[in-house]
Amino acid sequence: MFSAKTVVAAGLIASVNAHMKMKSPVPFNPAGFANGPLEENGSNFPCKFDGTYTASGGQVNSYPLGSQQTLAFIGQAVHGGGSCQVSITYDENPTKDSVWKVIHSIQGGCPAKGVPGNMGDSAEADDPFTYPFTIPSDIPAGKATIAWTWFNKIGNREMYMNCGALELTGSGGDKANFDKLPDMVVLNIGSAPRTREGVDYAFENPGSSIENNLSGSIQICGSNGCTDGSADSLPAPPAAPATPATPATPADPAGGVFITQPATPENTPAPAPAPAPAPAPAPAPAPVTGGSGSALSGACSPEGTFNCLGSSYQQCAAGQWSVNMPLAAGTRCAPGQGDLTISALRKRSGRSFRA
């Protein structure tokens, strides 16, 4: 989707301080932890615990078994996206020996979809991309810890990990079901294998709950390392269970039917009510002029389309236009909708994209 100019622009929109951090689930002591990746030597794995930052403070995320929740972030240094996992351990104070099991994998497009580099340089702006995930219904209730992990696509080879206090409510779960879940993947820290920059990552065992945003060349990664592959060669993710059909209302045992219209002649069924006319389509949202183009809001299609305003841009994601996101100073895109073509306003020496 991106032109060759986009690759050059990726180096121009890098930021060294505006990393990402988890907003939902709420992390431990959200005001007290830095927003960067884990140390390369793995010294603050898991959760960025370093003796000062510990499993304390912050809100307890109380989630019913089987409920749908939302993964959301703060920051604009999305590093071209990458792949993420949501994992759980029943240790309330996790250590390097804790057992983490994956409940949801996002392969590609996390924590942003279709963004070639960063969205800006703010460390406090909300990420417009959010990701639904479901708490398994068949694991034990109780106190636990929930974690988000991320392997970035562009920039230094890093692993991000934020954690929060978790309480699972409900009943009927079995620890054997938890044990069957895949292990959380660890890469890019300590002696763990490294990912290759510039491609999306699929997981060898992503589990049964998957969001796939993969295309083209990828790496397939597990605890033993990553191998090159293609998104086309991966098995299709498991289909969502079909919604049971609503059973028909049974007839009255005596053969009668309850109706709300006046009785019709004997032995003649009441006429079916005429279907309500389809509502007229809602008018397209009026564009709001801004810069060299027009900012849009509301519904959009097709998915992934960019809207360039000259010095900023939006993207059609999850059927809605995203917020207006600035490009780096000294760069601009070609106004209009379609692919995102970014170029420098003046000649400058390129620099590599490193966060």
Side-chain angles (χ1 to χ4, degrees), residues 33-354:
F33 81 106
N35 59 1
L38 293 170
E39 295 291 344
E40 185 177 1
N41 62 10
S43 59
N44 59 351
F45 175 85
C47 305
K48 303 185 71 176
F49 295 150
D50 58 8
T52 301
Y53 181 73
T54 60
S56 60
Q59 173 183 321
V60 175
N61 300 281
S62 181
Y63 293 160
L65 296 177
S67 64
Q68 186 176 87
Q69 303 297 331
T70 299
L71 181 63
F73 308 100
I74 297 173
Q76 293 186 317
V78 296
H79 298 340
S83 294
C84 305
Q85 293 189 307
V86 180
S87 303
I88 288 175
T89 179
Y90 282 97
D91 293 344
E92 295 179 64
N93 294 280
T95 69
K96 296 183 187 301
D97 297 322
S98 293
V99 175
W100 295 92
K101 292 292 185 175
V102 175
I103 63 170
H104 186 61
S105 292
I106 306 165
Q107 302 186 131
C110 180
K113 302 174 185 177
V115 178
N118 288 340
M119 296 189 297
D121 58 5
S122 172
E124 300 303 325
D126 283 343
D127 181 353
F129 298 93
T130 59
Y131 303 83
F133 66 94
T134 300
I135 300 295
S137 60
D138 59 356
I139 61 176
K143 296 185 182 298
T145 300
I146 192 166
W148 158 65
T149 52
W150 169 39
F151 306 105
N152 55 303
K153 182 175 182 178
I154 301 295
N156 293 330
R157 302 297 77 216
E158 296 169 334
M159 177 176 178
Y160 290 73
M161 184 177 191
N162 295 169
C163 305
L166 175 64
E167 183 169 8
L168 299 173
T169 62
S171 61
D174 190 328
K175 186 175 182 300
N177 296 322
F178 176 78
D179 295 338
K180 292 175 186 175
L181 295 171
D183 293 329
M184 183 183 76
V185 176
V186 177
L187 300 165
N188 298 333
I189 60 170
S191 59
R194 262 53 180 174
T195 56
R196 178 162 63 87
E197 183 181 10
V199 298
D200 283 326
Y201 315 108
F203 299 106
E204 283 183 2
N205 185 2
S208 60
S209 179
I210 310 169
E211 178 178 329
N212 252 348
N213 303 306
L214 299 169
S215 63
S217 297
I218 63 171
Q219 280 201 310
I220 303 170
C221 298
S223 57
N224 294 321
C226 298
T227 58
D228 292 340
S230 168
D232 296 334
S233 65
L234 292 174
T243 302
T246 303
T249 303
D252 179 81
V257 178
F258 291 101
I259 57 176
T260 57
Q261 302 176 15
T264 56
E266 187 176 354
N267 300 325
T268 303
V288 180
T289 303
S292 300
S294 297
L296 302 174
S297 62
C300 62
S301 66
E303 191 79 1
T305 299
F306 288 93
N307 178 41
C308 171
L309 285 74
S311 60
S312 60
Y313 70 97
Q314 302 170 273
Q315 189 180 23
C316 181
Q320 298 286 321
W321 285 111
S322 72
V323 296
N324 193 16
M325 297 176 282
L327 294 173
T331 66
R332 65 177 288 108
C333 55
Q337 296 181 33
D339 292 347
L340 189 66
T341 302
I342 305 175
S343 57
L345 290 177
R346 60 186 180 276
K347 185 176 180 181
R348 8 182 342 182
S349 57
R351 55 192 176 93
S352 61
F353 185 84
R354 289 291 182 269

